[in-house]
Amino acid sequence: DKTHTAVFPPKLCDEVVKFYSIKGDLIFDPFGGSGTLGLSAIRAGRKIFMTEISQEYVKRMKQQFGSTLDTAQKVEFVSLDEFNI
C-alpha cells in the first residue's frame, strides 16, 4: 500500500473479527490506519468505531470504504470537533 506502510492482511482481520466477536457487536479500533479491520467488521455483521489521527490515513479509508462497500452499508466519518458536539 502506497499510503500506509503497515496494512494488516484482510484474511487476518477477518479471522480476528469472527473469533473474538459475534454479529451485532461493536468493535473499537483506536488506530484505524487503512481501515482493514473496519471493512472486516462490517462484512461480518459487526459495528465498528475507529479513530485515526492522520488525515492522510482517513482520506485513504474514505476511498477504500467507498470503493469496497455497497451503498446499503452506511459509513459515517466525523471530525473530532463534530464528535464533541
Side-chain angles (χ1 to χ4, degrees), residues 2-81:
K2 294 177 183 175
T3 304
H4 196 286
T5 58
V7 177
F8 285 121
K11 186 172 177 151
L12 173 63
C13 290
D14 291 345
E15 294 298 318
V16 169
V17 166
K18 290 176 184 172
F19 189 76
Y20 291 105
S21 65
I22 59 172
K23 287 189 179 192
D25 275 358
L26 174 64
I27 297 171
F28 175 53
D29 183 358
F31 308 103
S34 64
T36 308
L37 182 65
L39 289 171
S40 291
I42 291 169
R43 286 191 201 116
R46 279 65 164 174
K47 297 175 181 87
I48 186 76
F49 180 82
M50 297 185 301
T51 58
E52 179 53 61
I53 196 168
S54 168
Q55 289 302 313
E56 186 175 345
Y57 292 170
V58 171
K59 184 178 171 183
R60 171 73 170 99
M61 270 192 270
K62 287 179 180 180
Q63 293 169 342
Q64 176 129 330
F65 276 65
S67 66
T68 306
L69 299 175
D70 67 37
T71 55
Q73 295 166 307
K74 185 178 186 307
V75 176
E76 185 177 354
F77 291 87
V78 297
S79 69
L80 181 58
D81 291 337

